[in-house]
Amino acid sequence: MKTIEFKQLDETLYYKKLPNGLDVYILPKKGFSKTFVTFTTKYGSIDRTFVPIGESEAITVPDGIAHFLEHKMFEKEDGDVFQQFSESGASANAFTSFTRTAYLFSATDNIYKSTETLLNFVQEPYFTEKTVNKEKGIIGQEITMYDDQADWRLYFGAIENMYHNHPVKIDIAGTIESIDKITADHLYTCYNTFYHPSNMLLFVVGAIDPTEMMSFIEDNQNKKEFPEPTPIERQFEKEPTDVAVKERELKMDVQKPKVYVGLKAKETDLSGEAMLKHELSVQIALECLYGRASDFYTDVYENGLIDESFAYDFSLEKGYGFALIGSDSSNPDQLAQKIKEVINNAENLLTSDSVERVKRKKIGFYLRALNSMEFIANQFTRYEFNEMNLFDAVPVIEKLTLQDVVEALKTIQGEPQQTVFKVLPSSERAE
Amino acid sequence: MTIGGIFLFLSTQLAEGVNLHIRQTTQFKTVSFSIKFRAPLDQKMAAERAVLSNVLQHSNGKFKKSAEFRSYLDDLFGTVLYFDASKKGSEHTLLLNVETVNDQYLQKNKVFNEVLDLINTAIFEPNFENGTFVPSIVEREKEMVIQRIQSIFDDKTRYAQYRLTQILRPNHPASISANGTLETVKEITPESLTKTYQSMINEDRVDIYVVGDIDVEAVQKKLTEALPFKDRTPKQITKDTNESKPEKEYTKEQQDMKQGKLHIGFSTPVRFGDEDYAKMQIFNGIFGGYAHSKLFMNVREKESLAYYASSSYHSQYGLVYVVSGIEPSNEKKATDVIKEQLEAMKNGEITELELTQTKAMLVNQLKETLDLARGQIEIYDQYKDLGETFSVDTWKERWNNVTKEDVQKMASQIELEAIYFLCGKEA
């Protein structure tokens, strides 16, 4: 077992790569009664074209399958796994993102029992045509729920505008039509390819003894047999750097228009510390330009172009990346115009004073976030899958300069990389 | 420190009606403050205080421009400072929450004393112009609160819940929003808001919480200086009388949407602090509070009718809400399955497993909440009024003592009062 100390943060992380390839990280937390455990596979909605384990030809599976698989992991021959977690007083959950599927629980008692439940249910698939078909009604309602959410439609509308080919533009849950095609065989193919321990990471944070927990996990894993790990071959079509659609709108039953300006990232091939430095730089640039202390914010606030829904965010993974900036607004076109003016003129707006101020804010953010076990476990996993280390964030921020921030921003700055998506009130609404 | 699950806050009185509660702990990398101003809840005051919290958040006498205020907070290592409006029972709470990094994790700078000064400024040095709040800021923040109220219409789940409470308990604290209404917000003037501010400072009941790795005596002393509140006799907050009844038992409304939102309101005579409160918590857990509950297992897992189907117990008002998102054509079936679950509980169809699971989940939920600084503040704040020392062990024992018969009795007291169904136009 390796020990990694983060002196300034007063944290010690324990790590071991098990013989079956599973990466296990344990972070003990003093003074807490809770333990939070995540078991994550590097497999998300974008992994739709790949070579199945043991085969040589790539296949494309129906959209929404990673999420469907996540749902179906909870059902076993002898019933629902939630029942077991509840009996131990553990809150269990799972989520599927573009790049990851995570299974997790938090609890204050019976930690070993729930850890065992977690490891076993994720490593013992049970799919039948009957249970697969039954799930279609449940997920169908989940999809319908999102279809009615204007904010979700706005988010995906903007991403769809940006991407020509990349599957990040496909809704994580798929569509009613695409999930209808899913079979138990599909689920086994995806499971066997992506749920090998060597493609997974277990993170334990909380009130635990690291040595005891590590040997408990090892014992559990050593009892199981897995095939030799093989590299997974995922396939993606080439993606142009310019956006697919410059401007588009959707009518919905809302009272107030919503708008996002999307900025498509050119640099999506980084990993490790270079990626960490790059994404922190872009985030700091956006905060300087659009944050509550910016001239932009004062202007759009005083002119009534935004409300409390105003937000900006930058997402980056291997193969895709984008910034989204927007708000509910009675004048979405004017707001979009002003957002673009700022990005187009960013070199003149960024100053070392504002960069230094936002760096301090960001350091404070990371220190506050380290109170949250959920943040640590989820973010650590995401960072690790991109060969970055969460605990390096503060020292990397401390070293960033104005020049770094300006350079990083250039990768999302070009006019051909900009798109606008709006959700507008449908005209037939009766008042 | 935790002794037998007892969470110790050291309480002292800063002035009559103003209490300070401090908890020293090394658990967190930050220090959290929460200052709660309480007054009786009504539509007019809710609106005034919602806008007031926005205006105080915007600027103050020292930082007259919002951007200056925000820049200063950024410089203090992203110290989080926000005002908010909320409600509990018949009480409106305007609160100031502050969270700042503990100095020991910062390599050079020290920020704690500056944060204390800033709390004083944010509360006691408002941004006044000729004796009132600045009219242009008041107008902008009124607009912000109006947008916040209107945004409910664009979120179908929130809208359906809003409509159900309107129908279920008209003109009652249960249906009064902590933000007031569009009409009451529009009526606000800089003068009325200034009056509301003065009554908040001089008349509200005030509770101040601090949690973190701090020197208790030093913080007590510093806060006494930073928060020079005067004595006050806070207004008595009367419990709602529960005379409000639904206009009608079934309401269906339509919008341009795909999913059907089925929201059902039930009443129970049991409220927070009543002898049967622990039993009602178990009832709700088994009915629809968790993933092992009857609603989840039947509406979702067995019948595949919904992605979510759950119940929540609002103990301040004696209400239980059931919510589910369904295919509109399944409305009758879903309603029947929900009613059947309650009937089953009334008939005593409650297993030992369901009891064990629910008890374990309640204990876990409480202990997890106490792992958060905000959780410690909220739990202590809620339970301190019960006139007993709060401890996890006491509540664990109360839940463990609940029997199947107790839960059956709770179920038999539940009454369905209103069903609200929101769905698309063609359904």
Side-chain angles (χ1 to χ4, degrees):
Chain A
M1 188 161 66
K2 256 176 75 181
T3 311
I4 312 157
E5 273 192 68
F6 302 96
K7 280 234 168 67
Q8 193 191 340
L9 302 171
D10 201 12
E11 304 279 6
T12 306
L13 182 67
Y14 298 82
Y15 166 70
K16 190 165 189 176
K17 193 179 208 46
L18 303 188
N20 64 18
L22 180 66
D23 284 322
V24 183
Y25 290 88
I26 301 176
L27 185 74
K29 277 275 188 186
K30 282 168 267 169
F32 288 81
S33 49
K34 169 169 136 181
T35 299
F36 183 70
V37 185
T38 59
F39 193 18
T40 311
T41 164
K42 195 174 179 178
Y43 170 51
S45 65
I46 64 168
D47 301 308
R48 65 197 283 272
T49 303
F50 58 90
V51 179
I53 191 164
E55 292 180 30
S56 52
E57 293 293 307
I59 59 163
T60 298
V61 289
D63 292 332
I65 202 159
H67 170 257
F68 201 106
L69 179 53
E70 172 230 300
H71 270 241
K72 274 341 285 170
M73 288 310 300
F74 283 91
E75 188 169 342
K76 302 296 170 204
E77 202 164 1
D78 57 352
D80 197 304
V81 180
F82 282 117
Q83 296 282 340
Q84 290 178 46
F85 280 114
S86 279
E87 212 176 335
S88 306
S91 306
N93 215 332
F95 66 82
T96 308
S97 71
F98 293 125
T99 53
R100 285 176 288 149
T101 311
Y103 300 85
L104 50 100
F105 78 86
S106 66
T108 50
D109 288 304
N110 308 310
I111 303 305
Y112 288 104
K113 192 157 173 257
S114 292
T115 303
E116 190 173 28
T117 304
L118 177 70
L119 288 167
N120 291 352
F121 100 82
V122 177
Q123 294 185 326
E124 288 162 12
Y126 169 76
F127 314 124
T128 68
E129 289 314 323
K130 195 172 159 230
T131 61
V132 166
N133 284 326
K134 195 206 73 179
E135 202 69 21
K136 289 175 182 171
I138 297 171
I139 297 178
Q141 282 310 310
E142 187 177 358
I143 292 170
T144 312
M145 176 181 84
Y146 281 110
D147 277 348
D148 282 337
Q149 285 178 10
D151 287 331
W152 184 255
R153 299 293 292 274
L154 178 72
Y155 176 69
F156 258 95
I159 299 172
E160 277 172 35
N161 273 9
M162 285 185 271
Y163 284 88
H164 298 260
N165 305 315
H166 196 282
V168 68
K169 69 176 183 171
I170 301 165
D171 198 312
I172 293 165
T175 63
I176 305 260
E177 295 72 35
S178 74
I179 63 164
D180 197 49
K181 299 194 191 92
I182 294 174
T183 64
D185 279 346
H186 283 127
L187 295 186
Y188 277 112
T189 303
C190 294
Y191 181 87
N192 291 330
T193 306
F194 292 106
Y195 281 64
H196 191 280
S198 61
N199 194 43
M200 298 188 72
L201 189 154
L202 186 74
F203 198 99
V204 184
V205 50
I208 25 100
D209 178 302
T211 315
E212 230 173 85
M213 181 52 98
M214 190 63 88
S215 67
F216 181 83
I217 294 163
E218 268 193 284
D219 286 350
N220 175 287
Q221 291 299 290
N222 288 343
K223 279 185 225 146
K224 299 175 184 172
E225 279 184 36
F226 297 93
E228 278 300 301
T230 47
I232 300 168
E233 196 190 327
R234 300 165 168 89
Q235 293 183 2
F236 295 97
E237 278 182 65
K238 205 170 155 38
E239 177 66 37
T241 51
D242 60 348
V243 297
V245 180
K246 288 298 286 177
E247 192 152 358
R248 200 160 52 97
E249 59 189 50
L250 171 72
K251 295 268 172 72
M252 284 184 81
D253 196 349
V254 293
Q255 296 208 337
K256 198 174 180 189
K258 295 169 183 286
V259 62
Y260 260 148
V261 173
L263 309 172
K264 186 175 176 179
K266 246 188 259 178
E267 180 54 85
T268 61
D269 203 25
L270 296 171
S271 63
E273 193 165 324
M275 180 177 179
L276 182 59
K277 188 178 161 188
H278 178 74
E279 82 172 3
L280 287 167
S281 298
V282 175
Q283 287 168 359
I284 287 171
L286 291 175
E287 172 87 33
C288 289
L289 296 171
Y290 299 104
R292 304 218 22 184
S294 67
D295 292 343
F296 164 83
Y297 189 91
T298 305
D299 174 32
V300 293
Y301 163 86
E302 282 176 359
N303 287 301
L305 290 176
I306 57 163
D307 62 20
E308 289 163 338
S309 64
F310 176 75
Y312 51 90
D313 189 32
F314 179 59
S315 305
L316 183 66
E317 296 289 339
K318 208 167 189 68
Y320 72 89
F322 49 83
L324 292 172
I325 306 143
S327 176
D328 296 358
S329 176
S330 45
N331 196 339
D333 294 320
Q334 203 191 342
L335 177 60
Q337 193 49 44
K338 287 193 181 259
I339 291 170
K340 287 184 186 176
E341 278 165 19
V342 167
I343 193 78
N344 294 339
N345 191 28
E347 289 86 347
N348 301 321
L349 299 170
L350 291 167
T351 62
S352 46
D353 277 358
S354 65
V355 169
E356 288 307 315
R357 170 176 57 76
V358 171
K359 277 169 64 180
R360 277 194 289 276
K361 177 177 182 173
K362 202 96 189 141
I363 289 168
F365 165 82
Y366 275 97
L367 291 171
R368 276 202 318 280
L370 293 179
N371 283 334
S372 161
M373 296 188 192
E374 288 78 0
F375 177 88
I376 295 173
N378 290 326
Q379 287 306 308
F380 186 92
T381 304
R382 179 193 162 252
Y383 277 59
E384 184 56 35
F385 282 171
N386 287 301
E387 293 148 53
M388 308 187 278
N389 189 321
L390 171 67
F391 298 101
D392 288 341
V394 171
V396 168
I397 295 167
E398 281 170 346
K399 277 182 276 177
L400 290 179
T401 64
L402 171 64
Q403 195 53 35
D404 294 329
V405 170
V406 170
E407 285 303 317
L409 190 71
K410 281 184 185 157
T411 62
I412 60 166
Q413 222 179 355
E415 205 280 331
Q417 290 158 264
Q418 298 172 1
T419 187
V420 176
F421 187 79
K422 291 178 282 187
V423 172
L424 300 175
S426 40
S427 45
E428 73 264 32
R429 189 183 169 86
E431 270 306 309
Chain B
M1 280 307 296
T2 325
I3 305 155
I6 299 173
F7 273 78
L8 290 185
F9 274 86
L10 267 173
S11 295
T12 47
Q13 200 181 52
L14 291 189
E16 200 183 325
V18 180
N19 291 295
L20 170 64
H21 317 277
I22 302 186
R23 180 171 146 74
Q24 195 279 331
T25 169
T26 54
Q27 222 175 333
F28 309 110
K29 291 190 164 53
T30 53
V31 182
S32 298
F33 300 82
S34 191
I35 302 172
K36 294 169 183 276
F37 296 88
R38 301 163 210 274
L41 174 70
D42 66 51
Q43 298 283 21
K44 189 175 170 297
M45 284 318 283
E48 289 269 350
R49 293 162 65 95
V51 173
L52 178 60
S53 85
N54 270 41
V55 167
L56 292 174
Q57 163 111 6
H58 176 275
S59 53
N60 50 57
K62 205 175 271 170
F63 302 99
K64 289 179 183 288
K65 292 214 158 69
S66 185
E68 291 169 2
F69 190 17
R70 294 292 131 193
S71 295
Y72 185 63
L73 288 168
D74 291 353
D75 274 333
L76 296 177
F77 287 86
T79 291
V80 174
L81 181 149
Y82 65 93
F83 286 89
D84 202 1
S86 68
K87 65 163 183 170
K88 191 178 82 184
S90 307
E91 195 174 74
H92 190 275
T93 307
L94 193 155
L95 65 87
L96 168 62
N97 274 347
V98 179
E99 188 182 359
T100 187
V101 173
N102 197 321
D103 282 341
Q104 78 183 75
Y105 296 102
L106 300 174
Q107 282 186 322
K108 298 173 213 119
N109 312 56
K110 298 276 172 255
V111 300
F112 190 73
N113 285 338
E114 287 172 67
V115 169
L116 287 179
D117 282 346
L118 189 62
I119 291 175
N120 170 281
T121 304
I123 295 174
F124 290 98
E125 273 186 69
N127 187 6
F128 278 1
E129 213 176 70
N130 307 320
T132 71
F133 286 108
V134 180
S136 59
I137 296 172
V138 173
E139 279 313 307
R140 269 311 279 128
E141 294 304 333
K142 276 167 68 179
E143 190 53 35
M144 286 286 187
V145 174
I146 286 170
Q147 303 295 347
R148 191 192 301 159
I149 295 169
Q150 281 179 336
S151 72
I152 292 176
F153 297 95
D154 296 347
D155 180 331
K156 307 303 174 202
T157 309
R158 278 172 67 211
Y159 179 73
Q161 186 57 24
Y162 160 80
R163 287 292 297 136
L164 175 68
T165 54
Q166 296 292 315
I167 293 162
L168 186 65
R169 289 286 180 268
N171 304 311
H172 182 276
S175 64
I176 296 177
S177 158
N179 294 315
T181 61
L182 295 179
E183 294 70 33
T184 48
V185 172
K186 283 177 187 159
E187 283 163 13
I188 294 170
T189 64
E191 292 73 29
S192 73
L193 202 64
T194 305
K195 251 177 86 184
T196 303
Y197 165 75
Q198 275 146 1
S199 98
M200 171 191 117
I201 294 293
N202 298 317
E203 293 165 34
D204 274 17
R205 187 152 70 87
V206 185
D207 285 292
I208 302 144
Y209 292 91
V210 189
V211 174
D213 191 6
I214 38 148
D215 175 342
V216 175
E217 272 181 40
V219 169
Q220 270 175 349
K221 195 163 162 280
K222 283 178 184 168
L223 274 175
T224 310
E225 287 161 21
L227 299 170
F229 287 107
K230 298 193 178 76
D231 289 342
R232 78 271 325 276
T233 314
K235 291 194 190 91
Q236 274 300 317
I237 289 159
T238 46
K239 267 202 169 174
D240 63 87
T241 50
N242 204 15
E243 274 164 16
S244 170
K245 282 285 160 199
E247 295 154 5
K248 48 185 175 175
E249 196 183 307
Y250 178 81
T251 309
K252 176 173 168 173
E253 289 178 345
Q254 292 178 314
Q255 286 188 8
D256 184 10
M257 60 194 280
K258 290 185 185 171
Q259 195 170 48
K261 302 284 183 190
L262 181 60
H263 289 223
I264 307 180
F266 300 86
S267 64
T268 164
V270 182
R271 305 268 185 126
F272 177 74
D274 289 352
E275 207 189 319
D276 285 343
Y277 174 63
K279 298 172 192 167
M280 254 314 284
Q281 289 179 289
I282 305 268
F283 162 82
N284 180 61
I286 297 177
F287 185 39
Y290 300 102
H292 66 263
S293 70
K294 290 190 185 291
L295 290 178
F296 188 89
M297 290 310 292
N298 289 284
V299 180
R300 172 172 152 145
E301 293 299 303
K302 189 158 161 249
E303 303 288 349
S304 299
L305 288 168
Y307 169 63
Y308 64 91
S310 65
S311 68
S312 55
Y313 173 36
H314 294 248
S315 63
Q316 297 290 339
Y317 305 115
L319 294 171
V320 174
Y321 296 119
V322 168
V323 299
S324 187
I326 57 170
E327 192 60 36
S329 59
N330 287 331
E331 182 196 355
K332 187 178 177 309
K333 182 156 188 211
T335 310
D336 288 346
V337 176
I338 292 166
K339 286 180 179 169
E340 280 161 24
Q341 304 319 308
L342 181 59
E343 278 311 305
M345 293 183 74
K346 287 184 180 177
N347 295 331
E349 291 169 35
I350 296 150
T351 64
E352 273 310 311
L353 180 64
E354 285 172 323
L355 277 171
T356 314
Q357 290 171 327
T358 303
K359 289 171 183 179
M361 292 304 277
L362 280 163
V363 173
N364 181 55
Q365 214 171 331
L366 180 61
K367 286 166 78 179
E368 283 197 14
T369 306
L370 292 171
D371 266 352
L372 305 168
R374 294 265 157 249
Q376 294 176 1
I377 291 169
E378 291 310 316
I379 297 269
Y380 184 81
D381 187 60
Q382 187 179 5
Y383 286 84
K384 73 177 172 10
D385 297 335
L386 292 181
E388 58 178 39
T389 309
F390 171 82
S391 86
V392 174
D393 294 351
T394 313
W395 283 92
K396 198 172 170 178
E397 199 186 321
R398 277 181 196 155
W399 289 320
N400 279 338
N401 288 338
V402 175
T403 64
K404 181 185 138 184
E405 288 69 32
D406 291 332
V407 179
Q408 187 178 359
K409 191 180 151 220
M410 290 302 109
S412 68
Q413 296 178 349
I414 300 281
E415 264 183 69
L416 192 159
E417 289 201 16
I419 297 176
Y420 176 79
F421 190 57
L422 180 67
C423 66
K425 294 201 169 92
E426 64 276 20

